[in-house]
Amino acid sequence: MFGRRRLAIGVGAGLTIGFLALLVIVGTTMWLVERGNSLLEQSALQRTIRIAAVDLRDHLRTAESSQRGFLLTGNQIYLAPYDTAKTQARQELDDLGRLIPSDAPNRAMLPRLSESVAEKIADMDSSIALKSSGRDAEAMALIQRHRGKALMDEINVFLLGAILMADENGTLNSAEQQRNASRLRWISAGAAVVIILVVLVVAFTVYRNGQALKLARDEVRAINLTLEERVQTRTADLAMARERAEVLLAEVNHRVANSLQLVAVLVRMQLRAVTDKAAQDALRETQSRINAISLIHKSLYTSGDVTNVALNDYLGAMLGNLETAMKKDGHTAILKCYLEPISLHTDASVSLGVAVQELVTNAFKYAYPEDKPGEVRVRLTRLEDGKAELMVEDDGVGMAQNGVAAGTGLGSKIIQTMASALKTHVEYINRRPGTAARLVLTTANA
């Protein structure tokens, strides 16, 4: 009886010490994990601020380069990226105002940055307006004041400071994460030593109390069985979690596609509510662009690959819908597709889909006036070295002799913007009769 009592006291003391050590490990681990999550969020915020600052600087430089190219040559083609760069610069400026914390040292400089960016854009707009109206001397005099350069230098100083501060904060967060990891290792090692000592004490006590040895072994076996069951349960939970993640990703793409379809339906409802022919045409084109992007997300949740898109399936479905819409609008041309099986990255597929949609729409609207019949052909062909060629052809009236685009010109701007996103350009070929638009792009397998 005395031996059993001493065994119980020894085991109880050992379990108490082990429980306390376990509490220390669990409590410290939870604190370090929470702190690590906080540091990760701060690091992500700093990266986002850095990206916004770099993008703002790059977009202003792009706008400035476009302005200078136009002032030097007078060629309107240099202004193609100008409006987009201004819009993106303003967006990045808004992002910086939203992202920089209220207690950040450079927060107080944001109003001055906003004034400098606005003044810089106004300065560029003024010089472009003077050049466009033929007042070259005044435009050059405005440039020679070097006010734009001074504003850009001031903007660069702020943005460089924001970038350096984001880098410094990221470095500090990384250093603290490393220190926390080191603390966790030392705490785990110390707790392991304590647990080992407890095990030794318990083992010594059990050794001296042979009568209780069998009971202790049975308890250990029971604990082992429980651990095996927990491992099996955890493994099953992890497998289920992975399946849920895959289902969730498919659901996200499904919901995005549904949301875009809802937007398209709202546009169609708005189209029915307006009577202005120009407004109706603009809403129809907007609806087609939304449908083109929606089909990307539909192809993602119906396939097992979320990084690449099968262009033959995607373009085939999109062009089929577009042909139906154009015929409902009274156009009599026939659309024919010759699409080889080629894959393209998801982001690039969105840009290509919008560009093809605009090219085919232009062919339907302008190649065959007065609803004359004809063909519009879309060809997707694989080339060597991981390249692919996309051609949109018609046999219609051909390109305008004066080079002036029909319509508002918005479609042409969208095509050029999408081509730039694909890191390529659109080549227009006068076929006599008809016109062909050609793009060469890099496939997903390049």
Side-chain angles (χ1 to χ4, degrees), residues 5-158:
R5 183 178 180 183
R6 187 170 59 182
L7 174 63
I9 294 174
V11 172
L15 290 177
T16 301
I17 296 174
F19 180 73
L20 292 175
L22 182 61
L23 285 179
V24 172
I25 294 175
V26 172
T28 305
T29 302
M30 291 178 63
W31 180 83
L32 290 175
V33 168
E34 289 298 324
R35 181 57 181 166
N37 289 336
S38 176
L39 290 173
L40 285 176
E41 292 176 358
Q42 294 177 19
S43 297
L45 175 62
Q46 296 303 322
R47 286 195 298 271
T48 305
I49 292 174
R50 189 185 196 283
I51 291 172
V54 172
D55 288 346
L56 173 57
R57 181 185 62 189
D58 292 344
H59 292 146
L60 287 176
R61 288 177 177 176
T62 299
E64 192 175 49
S65 298
S66 178
Q67 171 215 19
R68 291 176 178 176
F70 174 70
L71 293 179
L72 290 174
T73 64
N75 193 336
Q76 290 286 340
I77 195 172
Y78 283 97
L79 295 180
Y82 179 74
D83 290 335
T84 301
K86 286 197 309 181
T87 301
Q88 291 173 337
R90 292 189 178 105
Q91 180 62 50
E92 297 300 340
L93 180 61
D94 293 340
D95 291 343
L96 279 177
R98 186 183 72 257
L99 292 171
I100 294 179
S102 58
D103 58 348
N106 55 353
R107 180 72 188 185
M109 294 297 296
L110 275 176
R112 179 53 192 165
L113 175 64
S114 300
E115 294 175 3
S116 298
V117 171
E119 190 174 351
K120 173 63 179 176
I121 292 176
D123 183 79
M124 292 188 293
D125 287 341
S126 299
S127 63
I128 290 174
L130 291 172
K131 179 70 176 180
S132 299
S133 60
R135 298 157 66 182
D136 294 3
E138 295 181 37
M140 293 307 299
L142 183 63
I143 294 298
Q144 290 172 358
R145 288 171 49 202
H146 300 297
R147 179 57 180 166
K149 182 180 182 305
L151 289 170
M152 196 64 192
D153 291 341
E154 183 178 354
I155 293 170
N156 283 331
V157 169
F158 178 90

